[in-house]
Amino acid sequence: MTEQTSLLFQEQKNNELRREQNAQAQLTYDARSFYLNGERIFLNSATIHYFRMPKEEWRDVLLKAKLAGMNCIDTYFAWNVHEPEEGQWSFEGDNDCGAFLDLCAELGMWVIARPGPFICAEWDFGGFPYWLGTKPGVKFRENNEIYLHYVQLYFDQIIPIIRKRQLSAGGTVILVQVENEYGYLMDDEAASAHMTTLRDGILERGIDVQLITCVGGAEGTIEGANFWSGADGHYANLRAKQPDTPKMVTEFWTGWFENWGGPSAIQKTAPLLERRIMEVLRTGYTGISHYMFYGGTNFGGYGGRTLGSSDIFMITSYDYDAPLNEYGRVTPKYAVTKNLSYFVRAFDSLLMASEEIAAEQIQVRHPGGISVRGRQAGQEKIWFVDSHKDERETVHLTLEEGRTLPVSIHPGQIVPLLDRVQIAEQVYLTAGALITGNEMVNGELTLFVAADRGQRSVIELELGSGSTSTLVQGGLVLKDSTLHVLMEQDVERNACRFDLFHFQEPGVIRVEANGTIIRFVLLDKETMNRTWRVESADRESLRYAIGFDDVHVTPSGQVKGMITDPERTIMLLGDWQEGEQTRTAKTFFSNEVQSQSKANEAASQLKAAVSGNEQLAWLIPADPSTPVLSGSPDCSRITLTAKQRSASGQPMDFSRYGQDFGYLLYECHFDSAADETTYLVLPDIQDTARIIVNGAEQALVRQVGAAAVPIRVVQGQNTLQLLVQHMGRLNFSPYLGESKGVAGPLYLGGHVEDLRRDWLTETGHLHLDEVNDAPGGTLLRRSFTLEGRNQAVLVGALSKGLKINGVEIPMPAYQDWFAFQTLDLSGYVKPGEVNTLEMPYSRSPLNRLELITYSNDGELQNWRMAGTEALLPQQWEPYDAEVHSLAGEKHLNVANNGNSISKVAAGSDSYHQPVWYRWRFAKPVEGEHHKINLMLRLTGMSKGTIHVNGHHLGRYWQIGPQEDYKIPMAWLKEENELLIFDEEGRAPERVRLLLDEMSRHPWVTAGK
């Protein structure tokens, strides 16, 4: 069914009305929560970065946040995206952050704006543009004149975009953050001067909404906490610092980032996420920003880098194991976040007004293996029941006046138990199951009661003492029910208890209590996961769609749902044009087929064919076909050479060369007196580097900071080449602005020693590559000699307090959470003598701790350099698998004859030189009944970059954990060009396109 044209005029009218309403809006706060126009609001925020997806995807992702119960969007602004080259500003297309903020407003979402200038975000350079590091004397994130000059120029561009959309200007930006996580670097007193400078820079440009900070505060701002666990401790710290402000989790880490060669970051499971959110609610926070709600993708070269074991480079995907995955699909975490957001919405007034009940005042009785904490506002209470058992159980809790309720609870789960919470005039609810909803839907007060399939739950309605009627007189009457209900009346307490059962099929119970019709919708947990609250941006229309696996709302208000099971029951409640209804999923599609069949004769024949056969109608929307790459690709083999370039004394890093990302080729000649194996020393290397000697690759350097690599050389002249890929700058550390690529001189004739073993303590030997139980601070000693060399570099996981020959080595920016260091010891070592290292024990096992020694008279001279432009394809030719195989065998023979000792990969599946591959493919046909996502799988390839239709999709590296790479549908044409640059020229036969799993499931129109 083709969607009607969007009601653009009506949208514009709504936007004008919203601006008029918001122009008078005012945000205030007290110690418990924020107020908007005098009404408390619980800030349920989704962190979504506009710069991690095409503009065409913004609406779908923001809408998914709204459908999940979020009322706010949190976003960083990436300086390096908007000013990639000095003075060249970009705020168009995918970089139109103003349009992103406008879309948030159109969807009725508040915004927390985080302009930085430092943003972290696992983003290259923490958001700083690469050229900023070339400014002489610049120091980042401090009151450095040069740094602040460019920050002010950035503020001149970005702050007006935010100012025009803040609350006082009729927009929906309600909070603006100053800097980001500065407290990880220094305490508030030490940070005050810099934070005040940045705060004033924001205020001077017209921001008048409330300013906030995260992890570290500043005068005039509200501080939030960033964490995944430990809600109680963070809350106590915030309350001690700012007792009169709302408590927010400015970053609640729903997942984690992944790095090349590291494990998949899936440790924060959906059940654990549920527990952590409950801990946040139990503690008393009234603002949660889910970082990330949707992660997206590190397109181009924007993936950052952090340190910890020397080479933690971000993968291209920033899926983050977030509630919405990289492709915008819902996940089990999305269901958890949505369900608990619906619970918060239902009872936010109680959560925001309540205080924690002191442990000594808790009178709830419960069995062993269970603990209970509570919050109370007036006479209303919420008990948080926490299981410490090792299996699911139904436990009983006795509340005041002997009221006993069963609660079904999983190991490690926290279940909220509502205790006499008012839901209508003189009507109070007690319930030991998850309750969501609690609002008027189509004229009826509607609450959803969810529990595991096959479980029972008990709810109790009690009429207040001010009720004019009794149960017998009709104060509480069961009107109707779609399933058998066990009722137990307590006339003395004017209460009625309902014993409920949770089937796969939704059940409905209607009760009249004190004149209010209350509709309880009984769901099992899986159906609750498929329950969607659809509210219009103007909040005038409210609908619920129950049973769809996913939901989308078009700009015209049409609701579409994805179905994985045609036999599932779909229930529509609320303001639907065709009224409320309950029917099976397949009938929705059958109706669409029948409707379309009226269009032409062919469709009429189709209708006759499926008449009376709904299953056949269901099968009509065939799975969308996966596009196929155009046979064997074209290829362009790249000869690595910098012969045409002028020689310089030492290699230059990327920034000095004038290149932001990509590749640099370093090349020099040197003479050797004999055929031998020697060490190549790189005292300052910050990226992966392929070491090529006389045309044969001998090593892939992955250890960064400093490295020493054995290479095989021949008598006479040798040619040394280093192919270095920019793998991302540090996104968060005390050492921002490192030189990327190779910086400074390189040397021949060095040595490397692994220092992790054989440390001496007072009680014996200790090996730092093993697990140890030594007390922290235990003094470790180890000796070494230079063996005729005069330079030394220590690199790896070091501890503060390191001494050499009794002299402590300064480490001014050292942080316990960031122990990786590269220290030049040359000024402290004693050539020809035994040198002693001393270090307090901190942790083990260590991934790396190496001593690299060399002589400065082995420096290599006369380097030539070539950038990415020298690696572009020059001439295309058909790919020939047989020629490819022969080339690999020939290279292997050469390597064997030369006794190459450090070759990373050998075999006949590679050209052993960089190669560009080129394919053509057709745009996949989506059809009106499917929403598809396209991905690329690079089985068999090595390392390189991906490009589609001129868009740089990012880096790839087949060492995991990433296997598939997103190709945005928005960047496709009818015919498309795929380019892959592979550093080793690996055989491309197994490269293929795929659709994600959810692409095959059909979507139907639910209605408007």
Side-chain angles (χ1 to χ4, degrees):
M1 181 179 295
T2 303
E3 181 199 348
Q4 296 180 353
T5 304
S6 299
L7 302 178
L8 181 60
F9 177 78
Q10 184 62 43
E11 287 183 10
Q12 292 174 340
K13 185 176 179 181
N14 289 340
N15 288 340
E16 292 172 3
L17 177 62
R18 187 159 49 248
R19 282 193 292 270
E20 292 176 4
Q21 293 171 339
N22 290 345
Q24 304 302 318
Q26 183 180 16
L27 187 76
T28 57
Y29 62 86
D30 63 13
R32 291 194 176 100
S33 74
F34 288 101
Y35 288 85
L36 189 61
N37 295 336
E39 182 180 349
R40 288 192 184 275
I41 58 169
F42 190 109
L43 282 183
N44 214 358
S45 180
T47 301
I48 296 169
H49 298 154
Y50 61 91
F51 47 83
R52 278 185 155 124
M53 59 181 146
K55 184 177 183 178
E56 291 82 354
E57 297 180 5
W58 290 350
R59 188 180 190 278
D60 283 355
V61 172
L62 291 173
L63 181 62
K64 280 295 190 300
K66 184 179 179 69
L67 290 170
M70 303 290 122
N71 59 9
C72 187
I73 299 298
D74 170 308
T75 189
Y76 284 132
F77 296 78
W79 182 359
N80 51 11
V81 164
H82 296 299
E83 194 182 10
E85 298 291 341
E86 184 177 357
Q88 299 179 16
W89 294 95
S90 173
F91 293 100
E92 302 82 31
D94 295 340
N95 299 337
D96 190 350
C97 53
F100 181 81
L101 299 180
D102 292 340
L103 184 55
C104 293
E106 178 186 322
L107 293 174
M109 307 288 279
W110 308 114
V111 174
I112 302 173
R114 307 170 79 187
F118 170 77
I119 64 171
C120 183
E122 288 69 66
W123 195 249
D124 183 74
F125 208 174
F128 295 143
Y130 86 94
W131 51 263
L132 189 60
T134 67
K135 302 303 176 183
V138 68
K139 294 183 179 180
F140 308 102
R141 302 185 74 188
E142 60 180 80
N143 276 1
N144 170 269
E145 182 179 354
I146 299 164
Y147 170 64
L148 289 178
H149 168 74
Y150 290 100
V151 168
Q152 300 298 346
L153 293 178
Y154 165 63
F155 276 179
D156 285 342
Q157 296 287 328
I158 201 69
I159 298 302
I161 294 174
I162 300 171
R163 182 188 66 228
K164 294 174 185 176
R165 295 162 174 86
Q166 64 183 336
L167 197 61
S168 59
T172 58
V173 176
I174 57 173
L175 298 171
V176 174
Q177 182 175 293
V178 181
E179 233 270 354
N180 187 60
E181 298 183 322
Y182 206 73
Y184 285 135
L185 296 182
M186 58 186 71
D187 61 30
D188 288 358
E189 183 177 357
S192 176
H194 184 56
M195 291 291 284
T196 299
T197 299
L198 296 179
R199 179 203 66 192
D200 291 348
I202 293 173
L203 293 175
E204 289 164 2
R205 288 166 175 82
I207 295 298
D208 56 23
V209 298
Q210 178 62 49
L211 300 183
I212 64 170
T213 62
C214 66
V215 189
E219 185 178 354
T221 68
I222 295 176
E223 182 178 348
N226 296 359
F227 61 84
W228 156 251
S229 59
D232 289 333
H234 290 287
Y235 187 90
N237 291 338
L238 292 177
R239 196 161 192 172
K241 290 183 69 174
Q242 294 185 324
D244 299 324
T245 64
K247 305 303 175 283
M248 297 176 57
V249 189
T250 35
E251 289 185 14
F252 174 65
W253 298 323
T254 63
W256 204 241
F257 58 81
E258 295 177 336
N259 61 279
W260 297 117
S264 180
I266 56 173
Q267 62 272 18
K268 297 176 181 176
T269 63
L272 193 51
L273 176 66
E274 177 185 314
R275 176 179 177 84
R276 295 291 182 243
I277 295 176
M278 278 298 180
E279 289 172 350
V280 169
L281 299 177
R282 180 179 67 183
T283 303
Y285 293 90
T286 54
I288 308 174
S289 192
H290 300 78
Y291 187 104
M292 299 291 297
F293 187 83
Y294 167 79
T297 309
N298 296 320
F299 291 118
Y302 283 115
R305 164 200 179 198
T306 189
L307 287 181
S309 59
S310 87
D311 62 344
I312 300 181
F313 297 110
M314 301 301 126
I315 64 172
T316 295
S317 171
Y318 196 63
D319 180 271
Y320 207 80
D321 194 28
L324 278 182
N325 73 12
E326 184 180 7
Y327 299 86
R329 303 293 195 187
V330 299
T331 69
K333 284 187 175 181
Y334 181 92
V336 165
T337 306
K338 176 172 64 68
N339 294 346
L340 294 189
S341 293
Y342 287 7
F343 164 73
V344 167
R345 183 181 184 89
F347 303 103
D348 56 359
S349 59
L350 172 56
L351 290 168
M352 290 185 289
S354 65
E355 288 286 350
E356 182 159 9
I357 300 172
E360 61 272 15
Q361 296 178 356
I362 296 177
Q363 300 179 17
V364 177
R365 286 172 280 162
H366 54 80
I370 296 293
S371 61
V372 175
R373 288 169 56 178
R375 302 192 65 81
Q376 181 172 5
Q379 298 303 310
E380 299 177 298
K381 302 183 185 73
I382 297 182
W383 301 106
F384 293 89
V385 184
D386 192 346
S387 171
H388 311 285
K389 295 175 175 286
D390 56 8
E391 63 181 44
R392 187 183 73 178
E393 289 188 22
T394 297
V395 299
H396 288 78
L397 288 85
T398 298
L399 311 178
E400 293 95 335
E401 301 176 13
R403 295 170 295 133
T404 301
L405 269 75
V407 175
S408 177
I409 189 167
H410 290 260
Q413 187 181 20
I414 299 175
V415 173
L417 190 158
L418 303 176
D419 185 358
R420 285 176 168 157
V421 174
Q422 184 171 351
I423 60 173
E425 182 67 27
Q426 293 296 321
V427 180
Y428 300 88
L429 171 70
T430 299
L434 181 68
I435 308 290
T436 68
N438 191 23
E439 59 188 333
M440 299 302 294
V441 180
N442 200 23
E444 296 182 327
L445 180 61
T446 303
L447 296 89
F448 299 90
V449 187
D452 291 335
R453 182 179 304 168
Q455 291 298 300
R456 309 193 81 86
S457 64
V458 171
I459 63 174
E460 183 178 276
L461 289 181
E462 184 175 347
L463 303 186
S465 58
S467 173
T468 58
S469 303
T470 66
L471 288 171
V472 177
Q473 295 172 330
L476 198 156
V477 177
L478 177 64
K479 303 292 290 185
D480 59 76
S481 174
T482 65
L483 71 169
H484 183 69
V485 179
L486 297 177
M487 294 178 56
E488 180 182 344
Q489 294 186 348
D490 187 335
V491 176
E492 182 178 347
R493 289 180 44 241
N494 218 13
C496 186
R497 174 173 293 210
F498 299 87
D499 189 342
L500 311 173
F501 194 84
H502 296 264
F503 294 103
Q504 295 183 54
E505 295 291 326
V508 176
I509 301 173
R510 282 183 175 83
V511 175
E512 182 177 352
N514 270 357
T516 300
I517 299 297
I518 303 175
R519 171 169 53 179
F520 290 102
V521 182
L522 309 182
L523 307 172
D524 73 345
K525 283 291 182 66
E526 291 300 314
T527 307
M528 184 66 232
N529 293 347
R530 301 187 186 98
T531 296
W532 303 84
R533 184 182 186 274
V534 184
E535 183 184 48
S536 60
D538 60 8
R539 299 177 174 85
E540 294 297 322
S541 172
L542 177 61
R543 292 165 288 172
Y544 275 90
I546 302 172
F548 293 116
D549 297 88
D550 199 351
V551 158
H552 177 72
V553 184
T554 69
S556 65
Q558 190 177 67
V559 178
K560 296 190 174 185
M562 187 182 75
I563 298 172
T564 59
D565 179 3
E567 299 298 333
R568 185 181 300 134
T569 294
I570 304 295
M571 178 182 287
L572 304 180
L573 303 178
D575 302 329
W576 298 89
Q577 284 185 352
E578 297 183 2
E580 296 189 346
Q581 52 189 292
T582 300
R583 50 195 174 106
T584 57
K586 60 187 176 184
T587 61
F588 284 90
F589 191 77
S590 298
N591 289 347
E592 288 193 20
V593 170
Q594 294 171 13
S595 176
Q596 292 172 4
S597 68
K598 299 175 183 178
N600 52 55
E601 184 177 353
S604 296
Q605 296 173 355
L606 176 62
K607 178 182 178 181
V610 302
S611 178
N613 189 340
E614 292 182 345
Q615 188 61 39
L616 179 58
W618 174 257
L619 296 175
I620 287 175
D623 289 352
S625 59
T626 304
V628 178
L629 296 175
S630 55
S632 294
D634 297 327
C635 66
S636 179
R637 284 181 275 183
I638 303 301
T639 300
L640 296 177
T641 179
K643 289 181 180 178
Q644 307 304 318
R645 308 304 170 104
S646 58
S648 62
Q650 295 179 354
M652 290 187 291
D653 62 66
F654 274 80
S655 295
R656 288 177 59 205
Y657 188 79
Q659 186 172 305
D660 53 357
F661 305 120
Y663 287 88
L664 286 180
L665 175 66
Y666 301 85
E667 180 179 281
C668 75
H669 300 303
F670 65 90
D671 292 325
S672 174
D675 294 355
E676 63 177 348
T677 297
T678 185
Y679 272 92
L680 172 67
V681 176
L682 302 90
D684 187 356
I685 175 73
Q686 303 296 340
D687 292 283
T688 60
R690 293 189 182 274
I691 310 299
I692 302 163
V693 181
N694 301 324
E697 182 183 326
Q698 296 200 11
L700 173 62
V701 177
R702 289 182 54 179
Q703 299 282 29
V704 298
V709 184
I711 59 173
R712 184 71 181 175
V713 301
V714 298
Q715 183 178 9
Q717 188 180 70
N718 294 262
T719 299
L720 171 66
Q721 295 175 314
L722 284 76
L723 180 63
V724 180
Q725 184 181 22
H726 188 308
M727 296 298 293
R729 296 173 183 84
L730 288 167
N731 64 274
F732 184 80
S733 89
Y735 309 106
L736 286 175
E738 79 276 24
S739 299
K740 295 300 292 178
V742 178
L746 278 68
Y747 302 87
L748 282 180
H751 180 72
V752 60
E753 183 178 1
D754 187 342
L755 292 188
R756 291 179 297 172
R757 299 189 65 80
D758 300 319
W759 289 82
L760 291 174
T761 70
E762 292 182 354
T763 58
H765 284 80
L766 188 143
H767 305 301
L768 295 178
D769 57 350
E770 300 175 357
V771 175
N772 293 285
D773 57 3
T778 298
L779 186 63
L780 309 178
R781 290 187 179 87
R782 203 180 192 285
S783 299
F784 67 91
T785 59
L786 295 180
E787 301 293 341
R789 294 172 287 272
N790 60 10
Q791 305 293 309
V793 174
L794 188 62
V795 57
L798 305 175
S799 299
K800 183 74 169 178
L802 174 75
K803 294 181 179 180
I804 182 168
N805 300 324
V807 178
E808 184 169 345
I809 308 300
M811 290 187 273
Y814 181 90
Q815 299 282 345
D816 287 341
W817 46 263
F818 196 90
F820 183 86
Q821 303 275 330
T822 303
L823 298 180
D824 186 348
L825 305 181
S826 301
Y828 302 88
V829 296
K830 299 177 180 179
E833 300 182 24
V834 174
N835 295 271
T836 301
L837 285 172
E838 294 177 296
M839 183 173 69
Y841 175 77
S842 177
R843 62 178 67 87
S844 68
L846 304 183
N847 290 327
R848 186 187 184 198
L849 183 56
E850 292 179 343
L851 178 68
I852 299 171
T853 56
Y854 58 96
S855 295
N856 49 19
D857 58 7
E859 181 181 348
L860 295 167
Q861 303 284 345
N862 300 318
W863 288 90
R864 295 176 300 278
M865 295 180 60
T868 297
E869 75 282 354
L871 302 177
L872 298 177
Q874 301 296 322
Q875 183 175 352
W876 294 98
E877 59 186 34
Y879 169 77
D880 188 317
E882 184 175 350
V883 172
H884 186 280
S885 179
L886 291 173
E889 291 176 0
K890 179 179 179 182
H891 183 95
L892 179 58
N893 289 332
V894 171
N896 287 339
N897 291 337
N899 297 317
S900 176
I901 62 171
S902 55
K903 187 74 182 75
V904 174
S908 60
D909 62 345
S910 173
Y911 279 123
H912 296 284
Q913 69 181 98
V915 175
W916 284 92
Y917 296 104
R918 180 176 66 183
W919 291 266
R920 304 283 182 182
F921 66 94
K923 182 178 181 179
V925 179
E926 190 166 22
E928 63 179 290
H929 291 295
H930 291 89
K931 294 170 64 68
I932 65 177
N933 288 312
L934 186 63
M935 62 180 69
L936 179 69
R937 182 165 292 177
L938 297 176
T939 305
M941 306 305 283
S942 64
K943 182 174 177 285
T945 58
I946 309 165
H947 310 259
V948 170
N949 297 335
H951 294 277
H952 190 336
L953 299 189
R955 312 177 185 100
Y956 72 89
W957 195 357
Q958 292 302 94
I959 59 172
Q962 185 167 1
E963 183 177 14
D964 300 320
Y965 298 80
K966 178 179 176 178
I967 300 179
M969 294 290 291
W971 291 348
L972 296 185
K973 308 173 184 177
E974 292 306 312
E975 184 180 16
N976 303 278
E977 179 184 66
L978 168 65
L979 297 176
I980 294 177
F981 176 75
D982 193 81
E983 294 179 17
E984 297 180 15
R986 297 293 293 270
E989 282 89 351
R990 298 184 66 188
V991 173
R992 61 191 173 116
L993 296 170
L994 299 167
L995 300 181
D996 76 331
E997 180 184 357
M998 305 305 284
S999 291
R1000 63 187 177 88
H1001 297 301
W1003 290 68
V1004 298
T1005 300
K1008 295 183 72 173

